[in-house]
Amino acid sequence: MASCFYLFFSVSLLLLTYSPSNSQSNQFCEAGIGYGEVGCGLSSSTKLLIKGGTVVNAHHQEVADVYVEDGIIVAVKPDLKVTDDVKVIDATGKFVMPGGIDPHTHLAMEFMGTETIDDFFSGQAAALAGGTTMHIDFVIPVNGSLIAGLESYEEKAKKSCMDYGFHMAITKFDDSVSRDMEIMVKEKGINSFKFFLAYKGSLMVNDELLLEGLMRCKSLGALAMVHAENGDAVFEGQKRMIQLGITGPEGHALSRPPLLEGEATARAIRLAGFVNTPLYVVHVMSIDAMEEIAKARKSGQRVVGEPVVSGLVLDDSGLWDSDFATASKFVMSPPIRAAGHNKVLQGALSNGVLQLVGTDHCVFNSTQKAFGIDDFRKIPNGVNGIEERMHLVWDTMVESGQISINDFVRVTSTECARIFNIYPRKGAIIAGSDADIIILNPNSSFEINARSHHSRTDTNVYEGRRGKGKVEVTIAGGRVVWENNELKVVPGSGKYIEMPPFSYLFSGIDKADASYLSSLNAPVKRSKSTT
């Protein structure tokens, strides 16, 4: 498979420059779409030496050179000597790290009567500019069909410019879905399935379906994921807000308070415990949900908690802005919470209660958000983050001293690779790993705004935020795609990463099941009474 990939990259490609009028630096190449006249190209060298930087992995760091050839890391050693045909990048005084892996995105997703504005090219281009070199997107079934859903997303992903994987959502359960889940795991490289406990009437599943799905996930060695909000109660909360005349974006947060996230998280955890299968809770936004995860993990249950960058760095004050366009851009589910939740989530990430950081990048522009100008229930849910995540986690967590540089690598890359069973191919800078690498300058600064970001949306929930620590170089598949604030990528250059089942989270599950069965002391043999 690798040799096919390298051969693919050797094919000549026509590259055009995308240069939005609102930014001189916001440019990337998009073949076949006439955004500009100026030519640009990917680095032609297949050999690369990153020299003199501090190489950081999740559990170790050292000053060393990194030599890359044909998209693979060949050596990580001090003072490597190379020939003249090798491109050399000086990383002295900077950190050389694995590229970020975003475990939670929604590109080209049809939702709430529209489609997310970022597709598999623009969203990935934005990711690369921010130091993320792989993401895992959620396939939504088509009329409940997993196979039809996957075929749809395979078509959408043809324009990919970086590596990606898929989770699969489950919106119903019957014999055909059960069979298709097996096909997804054994033939299609999907090892995780998501269950929405919210969005009543569309994506939401009930407890019966969730239980069926948890048992099927366990049998396949696939990780069950949940969007944890009580959808029935949210529906009632929405009606209550409308009755009170609260129709603006603030009604979104008021209709789905933290206790409903906590309740659904607790319910999903208990049902996963009943089945004895690992559980992954996506976008943990509240203290309520975090505490349920902490309690379960303390008891020994295998529960993964994923905060997203918006929940870590923002509070809900924006939802009360008097300008609808400003307030509506913050609408996502679960909602961004009141001040205080974010600080507690940061603490939970630093002490290991929460394990990795995603984004839930699900972006709609201001025109799409305006669908709900008279009714918050019609505002498409979602915020940006795929480009901003690495910078914001560094500035919020590392610069503040809450986590180490090694832990930064762990929560933005390595742990995701481990959970979804692609480590050490991804998530590490060691010989044999894919050459997905970033060079971060801790002394450089960044500023976020919608004028210069690479997403197609016209707003940014982190508008005006500044911080320290900037990704100055991104290398994807051994090729320099972001350098000197220039992004050079081409659609079709990304590849699909198959993720095998039975990650480390499943280790020992069979022994725990055997122990449980032996503890039952049942069935009891009883003599039958005669009358």
Side-chain angles (χ1 to χ4, degrees), residues 46 83 241 262 481:
T46 59
T83 54
M241 292 303 111
V481 294

Side-chain angles (χ1 to χ4, degrees), residues 225-527:
M225 313 175 79
V226 288
H227 171 140
E229 291 181 285
N230 187 311
D232 289 319
V234 167
F235 184 72
E236 290 302 314
Q238 290 174 327
K239 290 195 296 184
R240 181 187 300 172
M241 292 303 111
I242 297 298
Q243 290 167 357
L244 292 172
I246 302 172
T247 60
E250 70 277 10
H252 177 77
L254 294 171
S255 70
R256 46 208 315 149
L259 66 93
L260 300 187
E261 186 185 353
E263 185 280 331
T265 302
R267 179 161 38 100
I269 286 172
R270 284 161 174 77
L271 292 178
F274 175 71
V275 174
N276 188 30
T277 196
L279 183 72
Y280 184 115
V281 183
V282 304
H283 48 42
V284 177
M285 298 294 285
S286 67
I287 296 171
D288 305 55
M290 181 278 295
E291 288 179 339
E292 296 295 341
I293 293 167
K295 184 165 58 177
R297 288 177 62 84
K298 187 176 182 180
S299 73
Q301 190 172 342
R302 298 179 188 190
V303 180
V304 174
E306 170 209 89
V308 290
V309 68
S310 55
L312 289 172
V313 306
L314 300 175
D315 62 46
D316 70 347
S317 57
L319 289 164
W320 270 261
D321 195 284
S322 59
D323 176 63
F324 174 85
T326 299
S328 63
K329 73 180 181 180
F330 293 100
V331 170
M332 65 173 292
S333 294
I336 298 166
R337 303 300 186 184
H341 286 268
N342 52 357
K343 298 296 185 183
V344 174
L345 293 177
Q346 290 173 26
L349 182 65
S350 69
N351 65 26
V353 169
L354 303 176
Q355 288 72 52
L356 73 169
V357 182
T359 62
D360 194 10
H361 184 88
C362 184
V363 182
F364 302 94
N365 63 23
S366 56
T367 301
Q368 293 170 304
K369 291 281 189 176
F371 294 167
I373 194 165
D374 297 316
D375 185 344
F376 68 84
R377 297 173 296 182
K378 298 178 182 178
I379 300 172
N381 291 193
V383 302
N384 60 290
I386 200 168
E387 182 171 358
E388 298 81 9
R389 178 183 69 125
M390 301 289 281
H391 291 115
L392 289 173
V393 174
W394 179 274
D395 185 60
T396 302
M397 301 299 298
V398 180
E399 285 295 321
S400 66
Q402 293 188 78
I403 63 173
S404 68
I405 300 171
N406 299 93
D407 281 339
F408 173 80
V409 170
R410 177 179 57 82
V411 302
T412 61
S413 183
T414 306
E415 188 59 22
C416 183
R418 292 183 68 237
I419 288 170
F420 295 103
N421 219 11
I422 51 175
Y423 180 86
R425 177 182 182 184
K426 303 288 187 182
I429 298 185
I430 58 177
S433 296
D434 286 358
D436 296 337
I437 302 167
I438 62 172
I439 301 174
L440 185 144
N441 187 342
N443 297 314
S444 289
S445 60
F446 66 86
E447 180 178 354
I448 298 170
N449 58 68
R451 296 187 306 278
S452 61
H453 71 200
H454 295 80
S455 168
R456 285 183 175 145
T457 188
D458 57 348
T459 64
N460 194 306
V461 293
Y462 311 103
E463 185 72 30
R465 190 176 180 108
R466 297 180 176 89
K468 284 192 68 178
K470 179 175 173 57
V471 175
E472 293 186 340
V473 179
T474 303
I475 298 159
R479 295 182 180 271
V480 178
V481 294
W482 172 255
E483 189 177 27
N484 300 321
N485 290 324
E486 292 182 345
L487 185 58
K488 296 181 179 181
V489 291
V490 61
S493 58
K495 60 183 182 294
Y496 176 62
I497 304 299
E498 294 189 2
M499 300 180 290
F502 293 104
S503 74
Y504 82 93
L505 292 169
F506 284 85
S507 178
I509 288 285
D510 54 342
K511 294 180 180 178
D513 284 342
S515 177
Y516 165 74
L517 291 174
S518 66
S519 72
L520 296 178
N521 297 318
V524 174
K525 295 182 179 179
R526 295 182 176 87
S527 59

Side-chain angles (χ1 to χ4, degrees), residues 43 45-50 66-69 80-89:
S43 167
S45 174
T46 59
K47 299 176 181 179
L48 181 66
L49 179 70
I50 305 167
V66 180
Y67 177 62
V68 172
E69 191 167 321
L80 289 171
K81 306 300 180 185
V82 295
T83 54
D84 292 340
D85 62 339
V86 176
K87 176 181 173 65
V88 178
I89 298 177

